[in-house]
Amino acid sequence: MSNTFFGSDFDELNATDPEIAKVLLDELTRLRSGIQLIASENYTSPAVLTALGSTLSNKYAEGYPGKRYYGGCEVVDVAETIGIERAKSLFGADHANLQPHSGASANIAVFGAFLQPGDTYLAMALPHGGHLTHGAGVSYSGKWFNPVHYGVAEGNEDIDYDQLRALAREHKPKMIIAGGSAIPRLIDFKAIREIADEVGAIMHVDAAHFIGLVAGKAIPSPVPYADVVSFTTHKVLRGPRSGMILCKEEHAAKIDKAVFPMMQGGPMMHVIAAKAVALKECATPEYQKYAKDVIVNAQALTAGLAAEGMRPVTGGTDTHLALLDLQGIDVSGKDAEQRAGDSGIVLNKNSIPYDPKPAAVTSGVRVGTPSLTTQGMGVPEMATIASMIGRAVKSDNPAVHAEIKAEVLDLTAKFPAYPRP
Ligand code: DSN
């Protein structure tokens, strides 16, 4: 069986390794038959998958275009140069580095460029919406550096800029990180720039979650304010699973040296080519409409879930994701994830700010609309899905979950992920 979505000859794989070929097919079936609400996932285009499945994977190319440590890089140089120029143009950035393998490794490079072990920096607390690489004790960022965490105000649940300013004045951090993985509201980049300037700190925005919305001009950009912006390329941005860094010209050499050779060796040229393809796709009017639709859908889904008794943290969302507090319906995040999963709806449990439950249980769930919007779903479908989620998470009856699963199949048949040619 041939399937172009794998970006290479599927028959060949099937003949060589039917076990792994089956995994690829099973995953495609899983995507096609369920509702994917993981806020950090999306469906890349067949063009991106084709670049990923290409012979560029074979090439060692340590260094940068025109300055490599291997011969034979003249072809892959073209892909990386095109990608860099596309990134600079799309985001209005002075400099772009497309080599980080992931968001976490992009962040290691940012630490490597600006901090020494033991240095103090400010970042959003993980239980308030931050990220593991922003100072969690189990991460290099918490083990080797000295993180001081700010959070959200208990009242409006939005970033507490007064606390951030006070902590910056008290601790004089070398760097302030903005961004995280469960922040439904826009971040005030201007305010953070002013605080960073006041204390002489580098401003680092980890834009992994929302950079696709910036690319689609649906929300304001951190690029004019930040010294450095790191991100993953596979969320709303809809590229391959990977990372990228943008920065001001004055930091370009430092960032490049921190990515290679400090943090990693040979770049993955097939992934860099796939990132270049995604950046081209992001520069189209269709993508700009997509980015706006992602937010409209997230707001519609959030309103529908609120009507089901699931309280949106901060009262709503300005972005692609929402965080829902389930205490009002007396269901844990863990149970909600399980019950939704049993009903064909994939979402994740998530701590809410000031969560009384441990991280393995949680009082909340996080939902996002990048994947559904790629499938072409809109506001009417968000209302339907909100109602399905409400029914699924409030019931522990397998028959109810089976009934919802059948409805999910009907809906996804109308809006298939990766439609068959
Ligand atoms: N793990 C990603 C997320 O789901 O938000 C962030 O790295």
Side-chain angles (χ1 to χ4, degrees):
M1 189 197 310
S2 186
N3 197 314
T4 53
F5 294 125
F6 298 124
S8 57
D9 191 326
F10 187 73
D11 293 339
E12 179 101 15
L13 173 64
N14 205 18
T16 307
D17 190 340
E19 281 174 291
I20 292 297
K22 181 175 178 317
V23 173
L24 268 61
L25 277 182
D26 286 350
E27 176 63 0
L28 189 54
T29 302
R30 187 188 73 82
L31 293 179
R32 282 176 171 157
S33 57
I35 288 175
Q36 312 301 328
L37 288 169
I38 304 290
S40 46
E41 294 179 2
N42 207 337
Y43 302 129
T44 54
S45 69
V48 168
L49 291 178
T50 300
L52 273 178
S54 69
T55 57
L56 271 64
S57 169
N58 298 332
K59 191 71 197 96
Y60 248 118
E62 285 175 355
Y64 290 98
K67 291 167 284 181
R68 306 283 190 185
Y69 288 83
Y70 291 82
C73 291
E74 62 278 5
V75 178
V76 294
D77 272 6
V78 176
E80 186 164 353
T81 303
I82 289 173
I84 290 168
E85 290 311 314
R86 285 180 185 165
K88 284 162 60 178
S89 161
L90 183 66
F91 295 111
D94 293 347
H95 183 72
N97 188 309
L98 269 61
Q99 295 196 2
H101 299 329
S102 68
S105 55
N107 286 350
I108 297 177
V110 173
F111 278 88
F114 297 112
L115 269 61
Q116 294 296 322
D119 278 347
T120 298
Y121 66 98
L122 288 194
M124 182 102 161
L126 182 59
H128 287 216
H131 190 256
L132 275 172
T133 60
H134 299 180
V138 290
S139 150
Y140 71 88
S141 60
K143 281 182 188 287
W144 298 341
F145 300 91
N146 178 37
V148 175
H149 285 121
Y150 60 90
V152 300
E154 223 166 335
N156 65 7
E157 299 176 306
D158 199 5
I159 294 172
D160 187 340
Y161 294 95
D162 292 336
Q163 182 202 32
L164 205 170
R165 187 177 299 103
L167 288 172
R169 285 176 179 164
E170 183 186 345
H171 295 278
K172 302 277 182 294
K174 265 200 169 167
M175 183 163 82
I176 299 177
I177 307 180
S181 52
I183 304 174
R185 295 299 185 179
L186 299 181
I187 298 171
D188 187 343
F189 302 123
K190 184 163 175 284
I192 296 178
R193 176 76 263 172
E194 284 166 8
I195 296 168
D197 283 344
E198 187 186 325
V199 300
I202 288 288
M203 177 177 169
H204 167 205
V205 176
D206 181 340
H209 260 273
F210 57 84
I211 195 71
L213 301 174
V214 173
K217 308 201 186 316
I219 64 168
S221 172
V223 171
Y225 298 100
D227 291 285
V228 58
V229 178
S230 65
F231 50 92
T232 48
T233 50
H234 48 267
K235 299 188 170 87
V236 185
L237 197 74
R238 217 160 51 182
R241 180 159 294 276
S242 195
M244 202 182 292
I245 301 177
L246 309 172
C247 68
K248 301 278 188 242
E249 188 57 43
E250 63 187 292
H251 304 308
K254 261 187 184 178
I255 286 291
D256 283 354
K257 281 187 199 143
V259 172
F260 170 82
M262 181 179 175
M263 186 264 301
Q264 66 186 39
M268 299 186 189
M269 299 315 299
H270 56 308
V271 187
I272 289 175
K275 284 184 254 196
V277 174
L279 290 166
K280 181 166 185 175
E281 291 175 349
C282 287
T284 60
E286 292 76 19
Y287 182 83
Q288 289 187 10
K289 178 176 182 325
Y290 164 75
K292 290 180 181 72
D293 288 348
V294 166
I295 298 175
V296 170
N297 279 346
Q299 290 170 339
L301 182 64
T302 307
L305 293 171
E308 292 291 333
M310 304 166 77
R311 184 187 72 83
V313 170
T314 78
T317 180
D318 302 321
T319 65
H320 61 299
L321 70 81
L323 198 54
L324 287 314
D325 173 358
L326 310 183
Q327 292 175 106
I329 56 171
D330 201 20
V331 176
S332 71
K334 185 174 180 226
D335 283 345
E337 178 183 305
Q338 180 68 49
R339 292 172 184 180
D342 290 345
S343 310
I345 300 169
V346 183
L347 46 72
N348 64 277
K349 63 178 173 293
N350 213 103
S351 295
I352 57 170
Y354 306 100
D355 201 325
K357 294 196 172 82
V361 181
T362 82
S363 301
V365 289
R366 186 186 69 165
V367 296
T369 51
S371 300
L372 299 184
T373 311
T374 294
Q375 282 167 271
M377 294 193 201
V379 169
E381 288 73 38
M382 297 306 117
T384 305
I385 292 168
S387 150
M388 288 176 182
I389 295 171
R391 282 158 52 214
V393 303
K394 287 179 215 164
S395 173
D396 59 3
N397 182 349
V400 171
H401 298 149
E403 192 180 289
I404 298 167
K405 201 168 189 173
E407 293 170 31
V408 166
L409 281 178
D410 284 345
L411 182 63
T412 52
K414 290 187 201 120
F415 297 91
Y418 295 110
R420 288 170 178 80

